[in-house]
Amino acid sequence: MIFKQLFDTKSSTYTYIISSGIGREALLIDPVIENTQDYLDILNSLKLKLVKVIDTHIHADHISGLKELKTQTNCLTIMGEKSLSEIVALKVKDGEKIKIENIELTSIYTPGHTDDSYSFLMKDRVFTGDTLLINGTGRTDFQNGNSKDQYHSLFERLLKLPSETLVYPAHDYKGNKVSTIGDQKKNNPRLQVNSVDEYVELMKNLKLSSPKMMDIAVPANIKGINLKEFEETIKK
Ligand code: FE2
């Protein structure tokens, strides 16, 4: 299997490139538009063909590369069925499988950070979007976020996975790259709560400022934006 974790320094986003390595099909998770050419160069150097691209949710802190990658490679764009995206070709239900060659990802509906947040389980690892971060959890104070829903997504879905399952989040701000469900259960400060009410209280008191890109990124990611339109937007 080919597995690459790429980091966008501006938004601290992790993007994942996955391929079985048997055939030449590849899948990307959470691409950032500014890095489109880097992704294509990496895929080219590995002689991979991009066939599918997934966003875990509508991002507020960066512009997704989905539309541009679709334009350049004709890959299939995928999000969860609750996504408001107007451009994705396939919206998957909870439990639905996404396949490339002998690799299979299962979608897990994990609302809370946003109401369109999905995680994706692939054998020994789970891509948790902004639902479960390493030693943190995604904020729940905009985009129909809901701390109660997030508690259930965490405690009834993600933390029920085998403890050795590798956790690959959509962001990290401290240089962490990977953890495990077991390690997060034990050491993630947000998960050391005894009830849903305690979690809701904890999330209520975070007092975070809004992401800088939010007003541009959310509508752009719902409508879809290509590189040319993006460059015009940031010039303004
Ligand atoms: Fe997010």
Side-chain angles (χ1 to χ4, degrees):
M1 184 177 75
I2 296 168
F3 180 73
K4 289 198 176 296
Q5 181 181 37
L6 309 171
F7 187 64
D8 176 64
T9 46
K10 211 169 107 196
S11 62
S12 300
T13 300
Y14 280 131
T15 300
Y16 299 93
I17 298 181
I18 300 162
S19 170
S20 72
I22 298 168
R24 303 321 298 170
E25 291 188 356
L27 175 148
L28 243 78
I29 299 177
D30 285 332
V32 177
I33 195 165
E34 291 103 309
N35 305 332
T36 302
Q37 196 52 50
D38 294 343
Y39 306 141
L40 295 174
D41 290 346
I42 293 169
L43 291 165
N44 243 337
S45 71
L46 295 168
K47 297 190 171 51
L48 297 177
K49 178 180 161 42
L50 184 64
V51 291
K52 293 182 183 176
V53 57
I54 302 174
D55 261 353
T56 50
H57 60 291
I58 293 283
H59 296 282
D61 57 353
H62 68 269
I63 297 193
S64 163
L66 246 66
K67 189 174 176 188
E68 183 62 26
L69 286 165
K70 154 93 185 158
T71 306
Q72 294 212 30
T73 70
N74 203 28
C75 60
L76 181 72
T77 51
I78 304 170
M79 286 187 79
E81 66 172 342
K82 304 277 183 189
S83 171
L84 294 178
S85 168
E86 293 168 11
I87 55 129
V88 295
L90 174 67
K91 293 189 179 178
V92 292
K93 290 187 175 59
D94 179 58
E96 203 169 323
K97 315 250 188 245
I98 297 163
K99 289 183 188 171
I100 56 158
E101 295 165 352
N102 65 347
I103 289 180
E104 191 173 270
L105 278 78
T106 306
S107 109
I108 309 174
Y109 182 41
T110 49
H113 167 59
T114 64
D115 60 357
D116 73 339
S117 286
Y118 286 72
S119 300
F120 293 90
L121 179 65
M122 185 181 107
K123 268 194 174 166
D124 64 343
R125 61 200 66 196
V126 62
F127 302 96
T128 54
D130 291 355
T131 303
L132 176 59
L133 304 174
I134 298 174
N135 303 330
T137 55
R139 61 194 298 172
T140 54
D141 53 339
F142 52 72
Q143 288 179 277
N144 297 323
N146 182 306
S147 305
K148 239 184 216 181
D149 290 347
Q150 194 175 47
Y151 177 90
H152 294 299
S153 295
L154 290 163
F155 284 85
E156 282 154 34
R157 305 296 306 266
L158 297 179
L159 299 187
K160 293 263 164 88
L161 294 170
S163 63
E164 63 276 16
T165 309
L166 300 168
V167 172
Y168 283 104
H171 291 290
D172 194 89
Y173 306 94
K174 292 181 179 163
N176 301 299
K177 291 188 168 169
V178 60
S179 181
T180 62
I181 290 292
D183 180 57
Q184 289 307 299
K185 255 187 200 167
K186 226 188 289 167
N187 299 317
N188 186 327
R190 299 259 177 97
L191 304 179
Q192 311 311 309
V193 292
N194 294 311
S195 67
V196 59
D197 292 341
E198 216 180 288
Y199 186 74
V200 169
E201 200 52 34
L202 190 158
M203 296 304 284
K204 215 188 333 186
N205 294 319
L206 292 179
K207 298 190 174 63
L208 302 163
S209 52
S210 291
K212 275 178 264 159
M213 285 284 289
M214 185 168 159
D215 295 340
I216 298 171
V218 172
N221 287 333
I222 289 173
K223 287 219 168 306
I225 184 166
N226 60 33
L227 206 46
K228 208 169 153 228
E229 290 164 335
F230 169 72
E231 281 161 0
E232 278 158 18
T233 310
I234 52 170
K235 255 188 243 158
K236 281 179 199 161

